[in-house]
């Protein structure tokens, strides 16, 4: 007993008032954070100004050449980036809209609402590879379930992933299915957090349903809208697995996205300098949209 | 009276719509399960059958033991080990780091906290290339560590646990300090146990993200015996044709069964966790 106490006393030779104590607590985390987050970010920026490839161990500075090459009109990167923008512009508003709408519906006092919540949100815990295997099977042109029921209903067989237009829709649809939970659940949590008295008071004052939504629900959900908006835009620009495993970026280049292009340039062709430049362009784009959303959606909410 | 009827009709329509939506969302999962329990030759018959006849688990046995394409059984074990280690280490490291940010006053705290919050918004691809080079140079590709170490640099847990620790009453801790407990002991015997609900939620989030991670493992693992499930599933698919969808769906379902089961039992916790993770900052 005596011994044990002395030992702890010895190990913590620093007195409790020592300014080093907080840093000792932080040390393990900061170590990983510096090595695997801060250092790679800085190094990535440096690599983006070099012609580094993994095969030849040489690395020389080439200035802005990687960036200028990427932004040359007609470069595959710009095509992929354009598709990514198209995807984000389609998927994010749909996700936010459906997420909010479904959250309101499953928050209503209805029978079995827990069941509905589970059903609508469950796919968001499924890994992207399983999602892709599942949906390529369902959307198969010849033996897929959806075309089977289309035929039963007398509708024409759809090309799905074999047509440039529907291929993009498939990616949007699959991400809506798979990501709905990650938007709906925060909205649901936010709805449950709104004091019921607000609604009661407004109803006494004769407010309509729409006004309740417009002047109470929506403003109070603003922080969550911001959170969901930012995280979905960030996630949208990073879309990768769904595309690579369902359409492979095709047909042609119609669904090729930025992340896929980065992956191939960097890790199939090993042009790492170029890949790093790409990642910084993407980073700047995301930063821009994040700041934009903070500008328009932030602001204190008083309860 | 009239209003009452109108309300009932609206309620009915809304309810029907909701049932329709729920079915739409759950059908793909049921279809995956149903296909996986069919004999392969029964998966493309006309018309479609929903209840397999006969019901068979042969596909699951193939998936877990055959190793054709990729060994899903081994991948399952790999995923379990990686997730478990990541959760364990994250809980220790992040709660240690969260404590001074919630409770102690020190020079540099605002800066550390600002960096922690700021890095929440860093997309993974900004560090993809250099991280890959790091692990490649250190010959750590195709190991568990190349998946675990980067996960430990995420500041999400630190942020979330700090928010939670702020809500723990100071009195409990002060009593211990007055009794002569060291800072570390106070943390370990008082704060850490009280943080349990947040730790549970964090474990869940870490579990989901490490089990489902696709891009980074795809980059760093090319040895089939080291692959985690999503990467193994991708490789697995390349070895199977369209006439073997029963087996493919069994693999897909194996890959996601643990997350779905965990989700069914912890759903409330996840919703609550999304709130405490400081949406309201």
């Amino acid at each position: 007993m005596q011994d044990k106490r002395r030992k702890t006393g010895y190990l913590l030779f620093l007195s409790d008032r020592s300014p080093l104590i907080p840093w000792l607590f932080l040390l393990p985390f900061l170590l990983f954070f510096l090595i695997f987050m801060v250092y790679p970010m800085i190094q990535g920026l440096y690599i983006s100004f070099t012609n580094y490839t993994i095969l030849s161990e040489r690395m020389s500075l080439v200035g802005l050449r990687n960036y200028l090459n990427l932004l040359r009109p007609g470069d595959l990167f710009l095509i992929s980036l354009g598709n990514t923008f198209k995807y984000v512009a389609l998927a994010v508003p749909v996700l936010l809209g459906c997420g909010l709408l479904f959250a309101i519906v499953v928050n209503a006092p209805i029978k079995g609402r827990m069941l509905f919540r589970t059903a609508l949100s469950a796919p968001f815990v499924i890994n992207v590879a399983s999602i892709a295997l599942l949906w390529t099977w369902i959307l198969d042109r010849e033996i897929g379930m959806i075309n089977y029921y289309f035929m039963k209903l007398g509708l024409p067989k759809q090309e799905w992933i074999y047509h440039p237009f529907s291929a993009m829709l498939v990616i949007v649809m699959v991400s809506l299915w798979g990501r709905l939970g990650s938007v709906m659940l925060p909205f649901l949590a936010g709805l449950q957090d709104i004091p019921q008295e607000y609604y009661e008071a407004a109803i006494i004052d004769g407010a309509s349903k729409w006004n309740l939504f417009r002047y109470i629900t929506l403003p109070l959900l603003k922080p969550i809208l911001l959170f969901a908006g930012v995280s979905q835009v960030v996630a949208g620009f990073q879309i990768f697995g769904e595309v690579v495993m369902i359409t492979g970026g095709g047909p042609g280049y119609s669904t090729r996205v930025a992340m896929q292009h980065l992956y191939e340039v960097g890790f199939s062709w090993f042009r790492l300098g170029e890949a790093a430049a790409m990642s910084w362009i993407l980073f700047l784009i995301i930063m821009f949209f994040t700041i934009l959303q903070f500008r328009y959606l932030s602001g204190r909410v008083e309860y | 009276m009239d209003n009452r009827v109108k309300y009932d009709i609206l309620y009915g329509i809304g309810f029907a719509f909701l049932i329709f939506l729920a079915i739409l969302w759950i059908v793909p999962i049921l279809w995956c399960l149903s296909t996986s329990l069919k004999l392969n030759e029964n998966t493309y018959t006309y018309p479609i059958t929903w209840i397999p006849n006969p019901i068979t688990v042969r596909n699951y046995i193939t998936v877990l033991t055959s190793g054709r394409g990729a060994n899903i059984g081994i991948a399952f074990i790999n995923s379990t080990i990686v997730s478990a280690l990541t959760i364990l280490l994250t809980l220790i490291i992040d709660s240690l780091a969260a404590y001074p940010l919630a409770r102690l006053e020190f020079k540099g705290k605002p800066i550390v906290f600002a960096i922690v919050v700021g890095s929440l918004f860093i997309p993974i691809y900004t560090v993809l290339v250099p991280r890959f080079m790091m692990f490649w140079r250190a010959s750590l590709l195709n190991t568990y560590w190349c998946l675990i170490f980067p996960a430990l640099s995420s500041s999400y847990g630190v942020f979330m646990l700090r928010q939670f620790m702020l809500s723990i009453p100071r009195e409990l801790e002060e009593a211990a300090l007055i009794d002569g407990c060291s800072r570390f002991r106070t943390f370990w015997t008082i704060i850490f146990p009280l943080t349990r609900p947040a730790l549970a939620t964090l474990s869940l989030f870490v579990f989901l993200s490490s089990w489902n991670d696709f891009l980074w493992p795809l980059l760093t693992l090319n040895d089939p015996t080291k692959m985690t499930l999503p990467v193994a599933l991708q490789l697995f698919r390349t070895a199977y044709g369209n006439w073997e969808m029963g087996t493919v769906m069994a693999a897909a379902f194996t890959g996601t069964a643990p997350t779905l089961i965990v989700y069914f039992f912890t759903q409330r916790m996840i919703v609550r966790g999304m709130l405490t993770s400081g949406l309201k900052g």
Side-chain angles (χ1 to χ4, degrees):
Chain A
M1 196 63 196
Q2 191 79 41
D3 235 306
K4 203 175 164 192
R5 193 177 300 157
R6 192 176 298 149
K7 208 170 165 196
T8 13
Y10 176 70
L11 275 175
L12 292 165
F13 58 93
L14 293 157
S15 93
D16 262 12
R17 310 217 177 285
S18 158
L20 275 176
I21 290 282
W23 296 101
L24 280 179
F25 276 98
L26 281 164
L27 185 69
F29 170 72
L30 284 183
L31 220 65
F32 283 103
F33 185 73
L34 290 174
I35 297 175
F36 296 106
M37 192 70 91
V38 178
Y39 172 69
M41 277 209 74
I42 298 165
Q43 207 204 5
L45 188 60
Y46 173 72
I47 294 172
S48 75
F49 294 112
T50 70
N51 60 356
Y52 185 62
T53 65
I54 215 165
L55 305 171
S56 60
E57 259 294 323
R58 70 197 158 74
M59 198 196 284
S60 46
L61 282 167
V62 293
L64 284 170
R65 203 168 73 195
N66 287 328
Y67 289 89
L68 295 176
N69 280 348
L70 286 172
L71 298 174
R72 223 170 22 199
D75 191 272
L76 202 45
F77 174 66
L78 282 187
I79 297 173
S80 317
L81 194 60
N83 289 332
T84 314
F85 269 101
K86 212 189 295 173
Y87 167 78
V88 171
L90 285 169
V92 174
V94 172
L95 260 169
L96 292 180
C98 288
L100 179 57
L101 179 71
F102 293 3
I104 291 171
V105 174
V106 297
N107 192 40
I110 42 171
K111 252 184 230 138
R113 59 179 176 174
M114 267 322 272
L115 214 65
F116 288 120
R117 278 177 204 173
T118 313
L120 289 171
S121 58
F124 100 98
V125 300
I126 302 178
N127 73 78
V128 68
S130 292
I131 287 182
L133 295 190
L134 171 59
W135 280 95
T136 39
W137 163 227
I138 290 177
L139 290 168
D140 191 278
R141 192 164 36 175
E142 308 305 329
I143 51 171
M145 180 181 70
I146 294 192
N147 269 356
Y148 170 84
Y149 282 114
F150 266 51
M151 264 158 50
K152 277 230 141 164
L153 294 170
L155 296 165
K157 236 184 197 181
Q158 296 299 310
E159 293 291 309
W160 300 122
I161 60 170
Y162 299 104
H163 188 277
F165 177 71
S166 52
M168 183 54 97
L169 283 189
V170 164
I171 301 294
V172 172
M173 214 165 71
V174 172
S175 7
L176 172 65
W177 181 78
R179 294 178 183 189
L180 180 71
S182 59
V183 184
M184 190 186 93
L185 293 181
F187 276 132
L188 189 61
L191 285 171
Q192 290 173 354
D193 226 33
I194 298 176
Q196 214 50 43
E197 297 85 58
Y198 287 18
Y199 291 111
E200 283 156 17
I203 289 168
I204 290 169
D205 290 345
S208 70
K209 283 253 172 202
W210 168 251
N211 281 339
L212 291 184
F213 175 74
R214 174 71 188 77
Y215 295 106
I216 298 177
T217 313
L218 212 52
L220 288 176
L221 284 183
K222 238 165 95 180
I224 294 177
L225 195 65
L226 174 67
F227 163 81
V230 169
S231 50
Q232 287 308 316
V233 167
V234 173
F237 273 103
Q238 295 187 77
I239 182 143
F240 176 74
E242 289 91 339
V243 173
V244 168
M245 285 190 67
I246 295 176
T247 67
Y253 293 130
S254 61
T255 55
R256 189 185 181 83
V257 286
M259 200 61 224
Q260 181 191 7
H261 190 61
L262 191 157
Y263 176 80
E264 281 175 16
V265 169
F267 303 98
S268 304
W269 311 336
F270 294 115
R271 301 205 312 248
L272 290 172
E274 209 178 313
M278 239 179 267
S279 67
W280 271 88
I281 294 176
L282 283 166
F283 180 62
L284 292 179
I285 294 173
I286 289 191
M287 282 300 282
F288 174 76
F289 281 105
T290 305
I291 291 169
L292 205 70
Q293 289 181 81
F294 268 101
R295 264 278 168 78
Y296 282 101
L297 287 170
S298 67
R300 292 235 154 259
V301 176
E302 307 291 343
Y303 277 80
Chain B
M1 185 64 188
D2 219 25
N3 256 337
R4 182 76 226 164
V5 173
K6 224 163 92 187
Y7 176 81
D8 280 350
I9 291 172
L10 270 178
Y11 185 90
I13 293 172
F15 201 69
F17 177 64
L18 193 56
I19 290 177
F20 170 74
L21 277 179
I23 290 174
L24 209 63
W25 245 256
I26 216 74
V27 148
I29 300 175
L30 294 180
W31 184 236
C32 174
L33 186 61
S34 155
T35 309
S36 74
L37 295 171
K38 287 176 187 168
L39 292 171
N40 275 328
E41 56 267 32
N42 289 344
T43 56
Y44 45 87
T45 48
Y46 191 93
I48 277 178
T49 47
W50 276 87
I51 313 274
N53 179 33
I55 291 182
T56 171
V57 291
R58 191 200 281 172
N59 291 317
Y60 285 92
I61 295 169
T62 313
V63 161
L64 291 175
T65 57
S66 86
R68 177 174 147 209
N71 196 322
I72 300 296
I74 290 182
F76 197 97
I77 296 170
N78 287 338
S79 277
T80 311
I81 295 174
V82 169
S83 300
L85 281 174
T86 310
I87 293 170
L88 183 74
L89 292 171
T90 303
L91 291 188
I92 296 172
I93 291 172
D94 287 3
S95 57
L96 278 173
Y99 178 66
L101 290 176
R103 276 292 196 268
L104 306 179
E105 290 310 322
F106 59 98
K107 233 185 179 171
K109 178 170 153 179
I111 299 168
V112 174
F113 187 64
I115 293 171
V116 163
V117 175
S119 73
L120 287 174
F121 296 104
I122 297 176
I124 182 195
Y125 49 60
T126 45
V127 289
L128 215 55
V129 171
R131 260 189 201 169
F132 176 81
M133 286 168 56
M134 265 167 100
F135 283 100
W136 177 64
R137 287 205 173 125
S139 311
L140 281 174
L141 297 180
N142 283 314
T143 62
Y144 294 148
W145 302 116
C146 69
L147 304 184
I148 296 169
F149 286 160
L152 298 179
S153 71
S154 158
S155 56
Y156 176 77
V158 178
F159 179 65
M160 179 188 160
L161 293 176
R162 176 216 176 240
Q163 300 299 95
F164 187 86
M165 283 179 189
L166 286 178
S167 68
I168 297 173
R170 263 174 196 278
E171 290 76 31
L172 294 168
E173 205 182 342
E174 274 157 10
L177 285 170
I178 289 165
D179 284 352
C181 255
S182 71
R183 268 288 170 197
F184 183 76
R185 273 207 62 163
T186 314
F187 163 76
W188 184 245
T189 55
I190 301 200
I191 300 294
F192 191 75
L194 284 173
T195 325
R196 224 178 293 145
L199 292 173
T201 315
L202 179 60
S203 314
L204 259 169
F205 286 145
V206 175
F207 167 66
L208 288 177
S209 69
S210 103
W211 189 275
N212 291 343
D213 195 10
F214 179 65
L215 174 59
W216 180 245
L218 184 69
L219 276 180
T220 52
L221 311 173
N222 52 34
D223 174 357
T225 62
K226 288 295 190 308
M227 284 181 179
T228 51
L229 271 165
V231 192
L233 284 175
Q234 196 237 9
L235 187 63
F236 180 87
R237 180 68 182 90
T238 58
Y240 285 78
N242 263 356
W243 58 92
E244 293 165 302
M245 288 316 282
T247 317
V248 173
M249 285 304 108
F253 198 77
T254 307
T256 193
T259 53
L260 279 177
I261 292 168
V262 166
Y263 182 62
F264 286 133
F265 288 107
T266 55
Q267 209 196 130
R268 280 164 196 279
M269 226 157 88
I270 290 183
V271 177
R272 227 180 308 129
M274 283 176 162
L275 266 188
T276 47
S277 68
L279 294 177
K280 295 181 294 175

